[in-house]
C-alpha cells in the first residue's frame, strides 16, 4: 500500500487566450421536456464570461451539465481539450470548481475546516500514513492548513478561521464558499449568482474579489441577475432564453440587442416558447433536482408530506418553527426571498 503524502499545491496553468472550457451542443432533457438546447460556449484563460437570462432560462441546469452533476443528453464538455467525466468529484479533480446558488456550507464545521474540505482533491495520503500519522502525514496536513489560511486571508476571513460557518453573516458565507472552491486549485471557477441577496457594498467587494481571482490566472464563468455587476465584470456575456443561447458578445452588443430587452421585459419574440412550455420545463428540472438530492440531504424535521392536504383540525399547539436541534450539517439556504432559478 502506498504511503504517499504529497500535497499538490500548484493550480493548473494555461497559456493566456487558449480555450479552458469548451461546451459544444450541450442539450439536457428531462423526459420529453428540453431544459437546455444545443448550447455552445467557450471560456478562454484569463477571461471572465457572464451567463445571463430570465428566471427559468436554464442557466443553473447548464452549470450542472458543465460540472458533472447532470450528464448532458447530447453534446460534450471539454476542459483543456479533454472531455470531462460525468462525475462531479472527477470534474473537480480535473480543475473545475464551482459555487452554488444556494449556499452549501458545513454549518457545524469551522471556517478553516470548510476550506480544508476543498483541499481533498489536492492532498493524497496513503492508508498506513493516515492510520499511523507519521511525519509525512503531519507535513501534508500542515501544508493543507497553511494553504487554507492563505485563501482565507485572500477573501478576508482569516480572522474568523475558528468561527463556526453558520455564525457568519450572509455575505461572508458567500466568500467562504468561494475560498473552499479555490482550495481545489482550479483552472476554471464557476460562480452561480455570487451576489444574490447582497447589498451594494458587498456586491462591489465581490466584484473586486472576482477580478483578483482572474489575476491569479483562473478563468471565471459567472451566472448573475445583477446586470450592472455582470456588465462591469465580464469580458463577454452569453444570454440564455428558454434553454437556448440567444446571443453572445461584449457588454455593448448584448445590451443593445432588442431580443435581449424583450426577453427581460417578458415580451414575446419570434420563435419564443409559450408560458406553458416554460412552466413544464421548470417543473421537470425541479423534480429531477429533488430526486437526485433526496438520498443525500437532510430534510427539516417538521416538514409535512408534500401531498398532505391542509386541515382546520390541526392542534393549536403544533410547532410552527424548525426545532433548535435540527441537524446543523444540512446545507445552508440562500438569502430569504431568493428564488431557486434553474
Amino acid at each position: 500500500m502506498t504511503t504517499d503524502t504529497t500535497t499538490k499545491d500548484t493550480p493548473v496553468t494555461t497559456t493566456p487566450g487558449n480555450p479552458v472550457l469548451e461546451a459544444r451542443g450541450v442539450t439536457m432533457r428531462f423526459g420529453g421536456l428540453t431544459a437546455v438546447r444545443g448550447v455552445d460556449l467557450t471560456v478562454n484563460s484569463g477571461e471572465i464570461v457572464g451567463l445571463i437570462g430570465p428566471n427559468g432560462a436554464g442557466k443553473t441546469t447548464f452549470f450542472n451539465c458543465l460540472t458533472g452533476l447532470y450528464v448532458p443528453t447530447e453534446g460534450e464538455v471539454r476542459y483543456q481539450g479533454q472531455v470531462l467525466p460525468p462525475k462531479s468529484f472527477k470534474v473537480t479533480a480535473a480543475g473545475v470548481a464551482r459555487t452554488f446558488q444556494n449556499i452549501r456550507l458545513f454549518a457545524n464545521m469551522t471556517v478553516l475546516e470548510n476550506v480544508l474540505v476543498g483541499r481533498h482533491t489536492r492532498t493524497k495520503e496513503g492508508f498506513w500514513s493516515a492510520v499511523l500519522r507519521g511525519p509525512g502525514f503531519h507535513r501534508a496536513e500542515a501544508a493543507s492548513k497553511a494553504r487554507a489560511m492563505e485563501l482565507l486571508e485572500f477573501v478576508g476571513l482569516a480572522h474568523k478561521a475558528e468561527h463556526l460557518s453558520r455564525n457568519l453573516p450572509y455575505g461572508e458565507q458567500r466568500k467562504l464558499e468561494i475560498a473552499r472552491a479555490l482550495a481545489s486549485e482550479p483552472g476554471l471557477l464557476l460562480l452561480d449568482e455570487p451576489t444574490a441577496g447582497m447589498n451594494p457594498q458587498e456586491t462591489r467587494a465581490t466584484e473586486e474579489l472576482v477580478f483578483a481571482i482572474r489575476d491569479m490566472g483562473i478563468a471565471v464563468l459567472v451566472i448573475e441577475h445583477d446586470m450592472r455587476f455582470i456588465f462591469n465584470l465580464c469580458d463577454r456575456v452569453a444570454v440564455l432564453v428558454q434553454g437556448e443561447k440567444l446571443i453572445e458578445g461584449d457588454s455593448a452588443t448584448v445590451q443593445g440587442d432588442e431580443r435581449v430587452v424583450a426577453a427581460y421585459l417578458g415580451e414575446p419574440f419570434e420563435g419564443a416558447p409559450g408560458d406553458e412550455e416554460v412552466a413544464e420545463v421548470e417543473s421537470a428540472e425541479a423534480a429531477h433536482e429533488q430526486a437526485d438530492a433526496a438520498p443525500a440531504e437532510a430534510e427539516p424535521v417538521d416538514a409535512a408530506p408534500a401531498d398532505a392536504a391542509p386541515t382546520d383540525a390541526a392542534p393549536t399547539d403544533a410547532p410552527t418553527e424548525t426545532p433548535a436541534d435540527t441537524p446543523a450539517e444540512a446545507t445552508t439556504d440562500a438569502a430569504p426571498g431568493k428564488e431557486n432559478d434553474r
Side-chain angles (χ1 to χ4, degrees), residues 134-145:
F137 174 85
H138 290 291
R139 283 194 299 270
E141 188 177 50
S144 288
K145 185 174 181 179

Side-chain angles (χ1 to χ4, degrees), residues 195-239:
T195 67
M198 290 186 177
N199 60 41
Q201 291 75 24
E202 291 171 329
T203 297
R204 176 59 183 167
T206 301
E207 181 180 322
E208 293 175 352
L209 178 59
V210 176
F211 280 132
I213 291 170
R214 190 269 310 276
D215 292 342
M216 293 169 61
I218 301 172
V220 180
L221 177 61
V222 55
I223 292 174
E224 189 51 70
H225 282 292
D226 186 332
M227 293 298 99
R228 177 176 296 179
F229 172 81
I230 208 79
F231 289 130
N232 286 342
L233 183 73
C234 298
D235 301 299
R236 286 186 292 114
V237 178
V239 183

Side-chain angles (χ1 to χ4, degrees), residues 1-6 123-132 137:
M1 295 184 180
T2 180
T3 57
D4 181 16
T5 57
T6 57
T123 304
K124 183 179 179 182
E125 289 102 19
F127 174 78
W128 290 113
S129 176
V131 170
L132 299 176
F137 174 85

Side-chain angles (χ1 to χ4, degrees), residues 269-311:
F269 53 90
E270 185 176 354
D275 291 341
E276 291 184 2
E277 181 179 350
V278 175
E280 288 178 353
V281 171
E282 291 178 346
S283 177
E285 291 175 2
H288 190 282
E289 184 87 359
Q290 291 173 1
D292 286 348
E297 296 183 5
E299 296 184 359
V301 297
D302 63 343
D307 58 351
T311 175

Side-chain angles (χ1 to χ4, degrees), residues 245-297:
K245 189 171 77 173
L246 186 64
I247 188 175
E248 179 181 347
D250 59 26
S251 297
T253 300
V254 171
Q255 291 181 80
D257 192 281
E258 295 181 356
R259 295 171 300 169
V260 176
V261 176
Y264 273 95
L265 292 177
E267 298 175 0
F269 53 90
E270 185 176 354
D275 291 341
E276 291 184 2
E277 181 179 350
V278 175
E280 288 178 353
V281 171
E282 291 178 346
S283 177
E285 291 175 2
H288 190 282
E289 184 87 359
Q290 291 173 1
D292 286 348
E297 296 183 5

Side-chain angles (χ1 to χ4, degrees), residues 4-92:
D4 181 16
T5 57
T6 57
T7 301
K8 309 173 202 173
D9 289 330
T10 306
V12 179
T13 58
T14 58
T15 304
N18 285 352
V20 175
L21 177 76
E22 297 175 277
R24 294 289 176 263
V26 173
T27 297
M28 186 66 200
R29 296 191 181 94
F30 300 96
L33 300 174
T34 302
V36 176
R37 187 191 306 274
V39 175
D40 296 335
L41 186 68
T42 299
V43 180
N44 299 315
S45 59
E47 189 175 42
I48 302 174
V49 177
L51 186 64
I52 66 173
N55 286 333
K59 303 183 297 296
T60 296
T61 299
F62 182 62
F63 256 38
N64 289 341
C65 291
L66 298 181
T67 55
L69 291 178
Y70 294 167
V71 179
T73 309
E74 297 175 10
E76 66 176 17
V77 180
R78 291 179 176 267
Y79 174 73
Q80 294 186 348
Q82 302 296 318
V83 177
L84 286 173
K87 296 289 184 182
S88 57
F89 68 93
K90 292 183 179 180
V91 171
T92 302

